[in-house]
Amino acid sequence: MSLFLQVVSVSKAIEEIRNLAVRCSGETIPLIEALHRILAEDVLADVDIPGFTRSVVDGYAVRSGDTTGSSDTIPSILPLRGSVAMGASVGDSLRSGECIYVPTGGILPEGADAVIMIEYTEKIGKEVLVKKPVAHGENVLLYNEDFSSGDAVCKKGRRLSPQDIGVLAAAGCIDVPVVTIPRIGILSTGNELVPVNIQPLPGQVRDVNSYVVASFVREQGCTPVIYGIVPDDRNALRSALSKAAAECDAVLISGGSSKDDRDMVAAIIRDMGEVLIHGIAIAPGKPTIIGRCGNKPVIGLPGHPASAFIVLVVIVRHLFAGMTGDRESRVRSVQARLDQNVPSSRGREDYVRVILHDGIATPLFGKSGLLNTLIKSHGIIRIPAESEGLETGTLVEVMVW
């Protein structure tokens, strides 16, 4: 039975593409190289963090009760017992009615329970005038308040930020277990395509999709592998797909996915594996193909760059998340109100490009093949399949580019 253009819902397409995703294997890399990689397993603290109670400001370690009622006009006067050196422990404990100077990060002397910032004090000889009261625990980071030894400091599936790298360093994780970066093969099909460095003749267009798709793939934390332009020739396409599927973890093919006699992408995928979906109730992007060759996902994208990009954002990103185990959405959304009506057809999800300004979303209507709407717009809004459109003033969720 032909699967060509038997349309399924967007939610069904996302479910199918998630099921296709095969989790990539793991590898261990140096901490300094781990930025933006996905953790393959939880990382545990090997020590208590911090390993001692310490000050978070430059100031004087005190017993908080000794500062009760302190003010500019009636300061508490405390004898200065000495100072704490960075990286050194403290010998004697602090007695009531005394203070000890402590730098930021310095260990809190035994007997002290707070630190008064130096800005609220005045040192006169061997005495310190405290001009503000402090509460118990103020300006102090307690022993193992951050993490206890054995706690998970970063969990599996987390995309590592610079902040995470710092936490891993504090936990003693010099070698980081991460998911291997997926390799995504990219093919562009069509006799009308020419390389971007060629001046197109009438009837020809430059290969935009290879670069749009590759950039999106890289943005999603994967490695694009571009196989170039493939003519509308069955043997050429079969050979290119076979090579890409053998060398990569998934393959994205743009073009050749509409219901036309000369288009053969779905037929070749079916011959080499299985077509699971050919046709999604989404506009733009209806003729999208989801299939596999062996255990390798193969996705057929529309030929128009704007349509292909919408399908990447709405559907294909879920494939990459499944392959890497990335638990964090890379699509940012904001709320805005429509400033005009947006019509739609019941039975399909429409994704309309919008311009954002001061919380207002202005629809940017245009033909699916236009490129300028991608760079003029700030994102897209979703019109549900059961809706016939959205009215002016409707609060919408904008998926921001």
Side-chain angles (χ1 to χ4, degrees):
M1 180 179 69
S2 173
L3 292 175
F4 282 19
L5 295 181
Q6 293 184 351
V7 176
V8 303
S9 66
V10 171
S11 60
K12 176 63 177 177
I14 291 173
E15 177 187 351
E16 198 69 64
I17 211 165
R18 283 174 172 164
N19 291 337
L20 270 181
V22 177
R23 183 67 55 84
C24 291
S25 59
E27 60 179 337
T28 300
I29 63 172
L31 176 61
I32 195 64
E33 299 174 7
L35 182 64
H36 296 158
R37 297 294 296 271
I38 308 299
L39 273 182
E41 57 188 67
D42 294 353
V43 174
L44 310 181
D46 66 342
V47 294
D48 294 309
I49 305 174
F52 55 91
T53 299
R54 66 191 189 191
S55 174
V56 297
V57 297
D58 291 335
Y60 296 94
V62 296
R63 294 190 178 187
S64 56
D66 291 339
T67 68
T68 301
S70 299
S71 66
D72 285 329
T73 55
I74 308 176
S76 298
I77 303 173
L78 304 177
L80 179 60
R81 281 271 320 278
S83 62
V84 173
M86 285 298 295
S89 60
V90 180
D92 297 333
S93 62
L94 182 72
R95 295 189 294 267
S96 179
E98 299 176 335
C99 67
I100 295 177
Y101 174 77
V102 184
T104 301
I107 190 169
L108 190 72
E110 186 178 346
D113 68 350
V115 177
I116 177 69
M117 292 177 65
I118 200 168
E119 291 87 342
Y120 302 113
T121 66
E122 182 180 350
K123 182 175 176 291
I124 300 176
K126 294 185 178 181
E127 292 181 324
V128 175
L129 278 59
V130 177
K131 301 179 179 182
K132 180 182 177 182
V134 288
H136 175 79
E138 189 170 342
N139 297 322
V140 169
L141 188 61
L142 300 176
Y143 168 79
N144 80 1
E145 185 177 346
D146 239 348
F147 299 100
S148 295
S149 179
D151 283 353
V153 297
C154 288
K155 290 186 175 292
K156 175 182 178 180
R158 186 176 182 88
R159 183 174 182 258
L160 295 174
S161 66
Q163 304 94 299
D164 296 325
I165 298 298
V167 170
L168 294 182
C173 181
I174 192 64
D175 296 308
V176 186
V178 296
V179 177
T180 302
I181 298 176
R183 289 167 51 86
I184 310 298
I186 299 169
L187 286 71
S188 288
T189 67
N191 292 331
E192 74 281 11
L193 298 180
V194 295
V196 296
N197 61 335
I198 299 297
Q199 189 80 28
L201 299 174
Q204 296 179 331
V205 294
R206 287 181 168 132
D207 175 23
V208 173
N209 273 359
S210 285
Y211 295 89
V212 171
V213 175
S215 298
F216 183 83
V217 165
R218 194 177 298 280
E219 184 180 61
Q220 296 298 303
C222 304
T223 298
V225 182
I226 297 179
Y227 288 87
I229 299 169
V230 181
D232 287 324
D233 175 82
R234 181 176 293 270
N235 291 333
L237 183 54
R238 179 186 293 272
S239 175
L241 177 55
S242 178
K243 178 178 174 62
E247 296 175 350
C248 299
D249 299 296
V251 182
L252 305 181
I253 307 173
S254 66
S257 60
S258 61
K259 192 176 181 182
D260 188 287
D261 290 339
R262 72 180 182 85
D263 291 338
M264 62 193 78
V265 173
I268 290 177
I269 294 174
R270 185 172 52 180
D271 290 345
M272 297 178 64
E274 182 180 9
V275 173
L276 301 169
I277 290 173
H278 187 191
I280 301 173
I282 184 174
K286 179 180 178 181
T288 299
I289 302 166
I290 298 176
R292 61 183 165 209
C293 291
N295 67 339
K296 303 292 180 69
V298 180
I299 311 300
L301 299 170
H304 290 306
S307 300
F309 189 68
I310 297 296
V311 174
L312 289 169
V313 171
V314 175
I315 297 172
V316 180
R317 66 183 174 89
H318 296 282
L319 173 65
F320 304 144
M323 296 174 75
T324 62
D326 191 349
R327 296 185 290 105
E328 301 168 19
S329 173
R330 302 202 184 189
V331 175
R332 184 171 64 90
S333 62
V334 298
Q335 289 191 326
R337 290 197 181 275
L338 286 174
D339 66 353
Q340 58 183 278
N341 294 338
V342 181
S344 181
S345 297
R346 188 183 295 272
R348 75 182 186 199
E349 285 190 18
D350 276 356
Y351 287 83
V352 179
R353 279 146 273 184
V354 296
I355 297 172
L356 290 173
H357 181 70
D358 292 339
I360 301 298
T362 301
L364 190 61
F365 298 112
K367 299 174 183 178
S368 63
L370 293 176
L371 293 176
N372 63 55
T373 57
L374 283 181
I375 58 173
K376 289 180 179 179
S377 60
H378 297 118
I380 51 175
I381 60 171
R382 169 183 172 270
I383 303 179
E386 62 274 12
S387 171
E388 292 184 351
L390 300 175
E391 295 183 349
T392 301
T394 301
L395 187 64
V396 293
E397 199 81 16
V398 182
M399 299 170 64
V400 181
W401 301 136

